[in-house]
Amino acid sequence: MGHVPHLHLPAPWHGPAIPLADEQGHHLRRVLRLVEGEDVSYTDGAGIVGSGRLVAGEIERGEEAPVARPGNLNLVVAPPSSRDRLRFLVEKAAELGVARLLWCRTRRTDGRPPPPEKAVAWAAGALEQSRGAWLLELGTTTLDDLDPHDLVVADLTGSDSPPAHRQTLLVGPEGGLDPDEIPPGAATFSLGTTILRVETAALVGSHALIRRPGAGPHH
C-alpha cells in the first residue's frame, strides 16, 4: 500500500462528503498524483480522525473515531526575530504534540509573533505531515497572566529533571530573562550546560515535559 495523504479539514462536516479547498484539490491531484477513488485520511484538528476516499473533488467520509490529545503542554516563548526560525518553531512544536504555543514579550525580546494566518497555515501543514489529530493552538500572553504554580522556566541554574504535573513551559529570549521577570513560585528546569537558541530550547524543553513519567494522553 502506498502513502495515504493526511488532510486537515476543519469542522463542521455535513453530509457524506467533505468539500476540498481549491489548493487542497490541486495538491492531491497535481502534486501527489491521486486519482479518483484513492484513499486518504483526515482530521478536524480537534481530535477526530477519519478514513475516506477522493471522489469528485470531495472526500467521501468513512470510519471516524476520536483520538486522545497526546498531552496538554502550554509552550510560552519570546519570539525569535527570524521568520524562518518562527516557522521552524511552530512546525516542530506541532509535530511534537504541544497543545498551545503562546508568544510572550519580555524585556529582551527582539522578534515579533508571525501573522496569525501564516502561523495557522504552518501548524496545519505540520499536522498533516505528522498525521496528527490535534491542531496546535496559537495565541499570545504576558508574564503577568501566567500561573506561577503551573509554570516551568527554562534556566541554566534549574533542576536537571522536569517537575511533575506542571503544564506550562516558559522559554525566554536569547538574552535571557531578568531574575525579576521569573514569577515567584515558578519552577526552573535546566536544559543543559550550553546556551541554546530560543527555538532549540523550546523544543528540547517541550519534549522533556511531554515525555515525563506519567504524562499520558489527555482526552
Side-chain angles (χ1 to χ4, degrees):
M1 183 176 180
H3 171 71
V4 176
H6 186 62
L7 306 176
H8 175 227
L9 302 174
W13 300 333
H14 301 293
I18 306 171
L20 291 172
D22 289 343
E23 60 271 18
Q24 286 177 311
H26 179 272
H27 183 74
L28 289 176
R29 294 181 181 279
R30 302 297 183 184
V31 179
L32 299 183
R33 305 294 184 184
L34 253 66
V35 298
E36 196 79 359
E38 286 203 75
D39 293 333
V40 300
S41 63
Y42 55 92
T43 178
D44 63 352
I48 301 297
V49 171
S51 57
R53 297 187 305 149
L54 177 65
V55 177
E58 298 182 319
I59 300 304
E60 182 180 79
R61 296 169 66 180
E63 183 178 349
E64 296 169 356
V67 175
R69 187 190 285 276
N72 199 35
L73 181 66
N74 305 300
L75 173 58
V76 181
V77 183
S81 56
S82 162
R83 178 185 181 278
D84 289 342
R85 293 169 62 194
L86 286 167
R87 178 170 184 168
F88 177 87
L89 177 52
V90 170
E91 291 178 339
K92 302 313 170 189
E95 291 174 26
L96 279 175
V98 170
R100 293 163 208 89
L101 174 56
L102 304 173
W103 308 109
C104 182
R105 176 158 292 280
T106 69
R107 289 177 191 153
R108 296 192 179 97
T109 300
D110 290 329
R112 296 181 179 179
E117 64 277 8
K118 284 285 188 186
V120 170
W122 298 338
L127 175 69
E128 293 180 339
Q129 185 278 325
S130 61
R131 308 189 68 81
W134 292 87
L135 182 66
L136 175 69
E137 297 176 21
L138 295 147
T140 60
T141 189
T142 68
L143 293 175
D144 290 339
D145 287 335
L146 300 176
D147 177 3
H149 302 294
D150 189 50
L151 186 62
V152 182
V153 181
D155 187 88
L156 280 172
T157 64
S159 168
D160 290 336
S161 300
H165 308 305
R166 298 190 180 213
Q167 295 291 344
T168 301
L169 172 66
L170 171 62
V171 176
E174 289 176 355
L177 294 165
D178 287 337
D180 64 340
E181 288 187 288
I182 299 177
T188 56
F189 172 44
S190 174
L191 304 179
T193 59
T194 58
I195 303 296
L196 304 178
R197 283 190 166 191
V198 172
E199 64 273 25
T200 307
L203 299 175
V204 170
S206 294
H207 182 267
L209 267 65
I210 289 171
R211 298 299 181 183
R212 286 173 295 185
H218 294 258
H219 293 275

